[in-house]
Amino acid sequence: MSKKKVYISLPITGHNIKDVEKRCKSACELIEQLGFDAVSPLEVSSNPDASYEEHIGRDITALLQCDAVLFLEGWHFSNGCSLEYSAAGIYEKERLFSIGELKRYAKEISHEQTL
């Protein structure tokens, strides 16, 4: 059985890229420690010369290939994250809003795999 994938949704536009990279890296590490494959928007669309539309298009494409989305603090102030939230809901992806919810999801998946 392949690992479940968790997409990371966090505000990027208008934020210090070093801070964004740090938050994203930290989330990736935790997701992977819990046994999932982490999908970072910074890796999905890494071309700094791409337009916003290209970035968000790649992000949504990657999100749709995931099982769950982890929304990091401040997501609700971001248009891109709001679009990701809507896409996740439309396509019935698990939406997680905290590390606690991510850990609960990991336990549920682990339990399902042992049945």
Side-chain angles (χ1 to χ4, degrees), residues 85-100:
Y85 175 85
S86 294
I90 291 167
Y91 290 95
E92 299 179 350
K93 307 297 179 179
E94 186 76 27
R95 294 185 283 192
L96 309 165
F97 301 95
S98 69
I99 300 307

Side-chain angles (χ1 to χ4, degrees), residues 25-78:
K25 181 180 179 191
S26 178
C28 282
E29 289 171 355
L30 178 60
I31 288 166
E32 290 174 0
Q33 286 173 3
L34 290 170
F36 300 112
D37 282 332
V39 179
S40 163
L42 300 178
E43 293 175 10
V44 167
S45 187
S46 59
N47 179 359
D49 297 325
S51 69
Y52 178 80
E53 293 80 9
E54 290 173 291
H55 285 299
I56 197 69
R58 288 187 185 108
D59 293 345
I60 295 297
T61 299
L63 180 152
L64 294 177
Q65 296 169 354
C66 292
D67 303 285
V69 181
L70 176 62
F71 293 90
L72 298 186
E73 186 177 339
W75 74 268
H76 55 283
F77 297 116
S78 164

